[in-house]
Amino acid sequence: MSAVLRTPDLVRAVADYTGRLGFECLQLVPGALALLRHGPLQLQLWACAAPPGRFERLAPSDLPAARFVPAQQSVVVHRIEGLYASLRGALKLAGMDPLARLSAGGPMLRPWGAREFELRDLHGNRIHCVDWGVCAHDPAQLARFELLDGDLPGDAG
């Protein structure tokens, strides 16, 4: 599964994803989009106000870069521990503090049976990575968790 994100500066974003985060660029259409992959995580980065193709029409989300607002996308991945470790290693290799871009403590096992972490990109987009396969085979493991403030919608904290 892949996340689809807008970026105000495609060239800079691709350089950051490939140079600091260890992604592989599978396809680059200058001024329009980039397809990126890091292990099980795939991303489509679209330039803000990219010119439409033959069959596309501009939509309200096709804003110019000056009006860019970072987004949050959830993406289902497998082998989340390995993905987190690989992203962390790439950031360290690039001389960056991994906690500037990744959730602290690695993937967290949540009461609903998923392991999750968040990756933040150069422009503030947040990619919420979720692995549902971790506890699916052992429901008894979920019984150990208590819901904490903020775990349910409407919890004030």
Side-chain angles (χ1 to χ4, degrees):
M1 190 178 244
S2 65
V4 180
L5 298 166
R6 292 274 181 195
T7 184
D9 187 336
L10 185 63
V11 171
R12 216 170 134 217
V14 169
D16 183 64
Y17 275 101
T18 58
R20 290 190 180 125
L21 293 166
F23 278 75
E24 171 188 8
C25 185
L26 303 175
Q27 182 179 9
L28 176 62
V29 178
L33 77 109
L35 303 177
L36 305 167
R37 179 177 60 207
H38 188 118
L41 177 58
Q42 295 184 40
L43 301 177
Q44 294 180 32
L45 288 181
W46 287 84
C48 288
R54 268 192 319 187
F55 304 108
E56 298 170 335
R57 298 289 178 259
L58 287 174
S61 62
D62 297 326
L63 301 174
R67 293 181 40 204
F68 170 75
V69 176
Q72 178 175 344
Q73 280 273 326
S74 290
V75 62
V76 175
V77 298
H78 300 287
R79 301 176 304 278
I80 198 167
E81 295 287 346
L83 173 61
Y84 183 87
S86 183
L87 288 165
R88 184 178 171 85
L91 286 165
K92 282 185 172 184
L93 189 62
M96 293 187 67
D97 176 7
L99 297 182
R101 300 300 253 322
L102 295 171
S103 302
M108 300 291 293
L109 182 57
R110 306 301 292 181
W112 42 89
R115 291 187 77 80
E116 305 174 354
F117 76 87
E118 186 175 270
L119 166 66
R120 292 170 298 283
D121 80 3
L122 173 71
H123 295 112
N125 287 313
R126 296 175 3 202
I127 303 157
H128 186 82
C129 298
V130 181
D131 187 343
W132 285 100
V134 178
C135 290
H137 66 281
D138 188 6
Q141 195 171 11
L142 295 177
R144 298 181 311 140
F145 290 94
E146 295 178 27
L147 291 178
L148 302 174
D149 287 343
D151 281 344
L152 294 175
D155 281 355

